[in-house]
Amino acid sequence: MSTLSTPVKNAITSLTQSQHEPFYLYDLDALSGHLKLLTEQSVVKLWYAVKANPLSSVIQTLDKAGFNFDVASSGELQQVLAQGIDAKRVLNTGPAKSKHQIETFLTQGVNTFVAESLNQVAWLQDAAQRHNTALRILLRVQLRWPDNEKNPLGGDSLTPFGLGAQEWGALTVSDYPNLDFVGLHIFQWGNMLEAEKLASLWQQMVDPLMTLAQQLKIDLRVLDLGGGLGIPYADGQPHIDWPTILRSLEHIKAQTNIDELWMELGRYAVGECGYYVNPVVEQKQNYGSNQLILAGGINHILRPAVTSQAFPATLLRESTSATIPYTLHGPLCTALDHLGEHSLPCDINEYDWVVFGQCGAYGFTESMPYFLCHTLPSEYIYQSGQVRCIRPPLTPENYLR
């Protein structure tokens, strides 16, 4: 898990002395160092999945590191373009590409799309023809997996992402002269921590994908493996082995004889750089359990309710008291507002702050911020020893109408 360095801890402590609402802080120095390790290779082209964290400062840091950008909505596109990034460095993913959205992307200069259906292929052709342009297209393939492999994006479950090989078999690529079918896209697993298991899944998909490309008479130049590389959320979980990942990808690239391998990293790129800092409202004992009630909950950080997996948590101040198990709850009037079970010092009280780690990805923008009309959290960046407020807290009187 990410380590709270002394300078960052001091910065967070200083911020807590001047406010009483939860906030996020992102360590951009740590992020830059991590991204440098990821980009020092020539095996795979890296895209950043903007859904993980669309904050301008985070996007700018990824841009400086040499990443391109995977966007899944018109709003994400505008956010990326607002940072001065060329639309030619954007890949449009996402299952719901309407005719209107396709038109918006083409008008802004995007020319690379992942098609999720036969309808989308037809709509992309029509739009490209109207614009008198050629588009690069990847077909997203959904494979069924043996042994009941399960994960947030499908495994062997039916999802809205792409089509099966049989369904894509109805496509005649010559019917779409404005579309250059450069490759295939597949991504059906999330937050994988075992490099060998991920390599095994990739290996299982090679033959059916190559067979589909031959059937469709596609000159396969790109194979997009999506993301799925995980970060540890619980004590004892390993970090995924990036060198092993690269060796596996190099093997697949040689095996398939394709020009480019692509991956869209979100959580693995930015997850470990972020912290959610949350004040304690009270500690209480209930039916033999120790409970902590916090000022912020799934209105700011929804993932524990969605995945039943908590972000790691620690007490901000130092304590020599024995640790005991607590269940952590936010302020919302629903039992869903549960932030996990954690071992924390028994002397924790209403003046303390709890720091949740691994929050650089799937934090605030994945939350349900308006329920019960609480204040929206501020966001800070830490860079070169300085703290800067990127977005101040937003109170209900400023967002309710």
Side-chain angles (χ1 to χ4, degrees):
M1 286 175 286
S2 56
T3 301
L4 189 59
S5 68
T6 298
V8 171
K9 184 175 182 178
N10 290 341
I12 290 175
T13 300
S14 178
L15 288 171
T16 63
Q17 294 169 357
S18 61
Q19 56 190 42
H20 62 276
E21 295 283 357
F23 61 89
Y24 279 89
L25 181 138
Y26 308 100
D27 183 352
L28 297 189
D29 294 335
L31 176 59
S32 295
H34 174 59
L35 298 178
K36 186 173 185 293
L37 294 176
L38 300 185
T39 54
E40 290 180 336
Q41 47 82 25
S42 58
V43 177
V44 59
K45 181 175 182 177
L46 296 177
W47 305 75
Y48 173 55
V50 176
K51 65 180 180 178
N53 188 332
L55 195 71
S56 298
S57 299
V58 170
I59 292 175
Q60 292 163 10
T61 304
L62 272 292
D63 179 31
K64 290 177 182 176
F67 274 66
N68 294 285
F69 295 88
D70 155 22
V71 304
S73 72
S74 298
E76 287 187 350
L77 174 63
Q78 296 310 315
Q79 174 66 344
V80 168
L81 297 181
Q83 313 313 315
I85 294 163
D86 194 317
K88 298 298 187 291
R89 294 172 55 202
V90 167
L91 169 67
N92 183 204
T93 62
K97 298 180 188 72
S98 65
K99 293 178 181 179
H100 177 74
Q101 179 174 306
I102 290 170
E103 182 69 22
T104 298
F105 273 67
L106 262 68
T107 300
Q108 295 290 335
V110 177
N111 66 357
T112 307
F113 294 81
V114 173
E116 308 268 352
S117 69
L118 295 170
N119 284 331
Q120 287 185 14
V121 171
W123 298 342
L124 286 161
Q125 166 60 31
D126 291 344
Q129 194 169 36
R130 286 196 310 276
H131 285 258
N132 191 29
T133 190
L135 302 178
R136 297 195 303 167
I137 305 298
L138 289 83
L139 303 178
R140 179 158 183 169
V141 183
Q142 184 178 155
L143 298 177
R144 306 304 291 269
W145 294 90
D147 302 324
N148 295 315
E149 289 286 349
K150 295 287 184 182
N151 54 76
L153 286 179
D156 68 349
S157 301
L158 183 64
T159 75
F161 302 103
L163 293 174
Q166 181 176 348
E167 286 74 17
W168 278 126
L171 182 70
T172 302
V173 298
S174 59
D175 291 343
Y176 306 94
N178 290 77
L179 305 184
D180 181 10
F181 295 91
V182 298
L184 300 175
H185 179 290
I186 186 167
F187 174 37
Q188 296 180 219
W189 40 82
N191 202 40
M192 297 285 290
L193 294 175
E194 300 174 31
E196 293 79 6
K197 184 174 183 179
L198 191 51
S200 175
L201 288 169
W202 286 335
Q203 195 60 50
Q204 291 178 59
M205 80 183 191
V206 168
D207 286 344
L209 291 180
M210 297 300 290
T211 298
L212 177 61
Q214 292 169 4
Q215 177 185 346
L216 296 177
K217 297 179 177 156
I218 290 176
D219 178 16
L220 191 62
R221 285 156 277 160
V222 175
L223 192 57
D224 187 335
L225 303 177
L229 277 66
I231 59 175
Y233 288 97
D235 289 337
Q237 287 185 322
H239 283 81
I240 197 165
D241 189 337
W242 178 245
T244 297
I245 291 292
L246 288 180
R247 287 193 293 271
S248 300
L249 294 174
E250 199 162 25
H251 175 73
I252 290 172
K253 192 172 184 180
Q255 178 184 3
T256 56
N257 196 32
I258 59 170
D259 296 336
E260 295 183 15
L261 279 177
W262 293 359
M263 291 194 74
E264 297 119 27
L265 302 183
R267 184 196 328 266
Y268 188 67
V270 302
E272 296 190 308
C273 81
Y275 303 91
Y276 174 58
V277 189
N278 199 351
V280 176
V281 174
E282 68 168 320
Q283 174 190 163
K284 65 181 182 181
Q285 286 69 45
N286 192 15
Y287 283 96
S289 295
N290 304 302
Q291 295 179 308
L292 283 183
I293 312 302
L294 305 175
I298 60 175
N299 55 322
H300 294 169
I301 190 163
L302 182 64
R303 185 180 184 276
V306 174
T307 65
S308 298
Q309 186 177 49
F311 289 90
T314 186
L315 180 62
L316 176 60
R317 67 171 170 85
E318 298 295 330
S319 173
T320 58
S321 297
T323 59
I324 59 175
Y326 290 93
T327 56
L328 274 55
H329 305 270
L332 305 185
C333 298
T334 169
L336 291 174
D337 197 5
H338 181 267
L339 300 183
E341 298 183 1
H342 302 275
S343 292
L344 295 166
C346 62
D347 65 341
I348 198 166
N349 60 59
E350 68 269 23
Y351 301 106
D352 280 319
W353 292 73
V354 174
V355 180
F356 293 86
Q358 312 293 72
C359 295
Y362 305 117
F364 176 60
T365 56
E366 193 187 36
S367 66
M368 43 188 293
Y370 301 113
F371 190 39
L372 263 70
C373 305
H374 285 279
T375 298
L376 307 190
S378 52
E379 292 183 287
Y380 295 86
I381 61 169
Y382 177 86
Q383 189 172 32
S384 301
Q386 301 295 318
V387 174
R388 184 157 57 97
C389 183
I390 299 301
R391 185 173 58 79
L394 192 62
T395 58
E397 56 266 31
N398 290 318
Y399 65 74
L400 290 177
R401 296 291 184 268

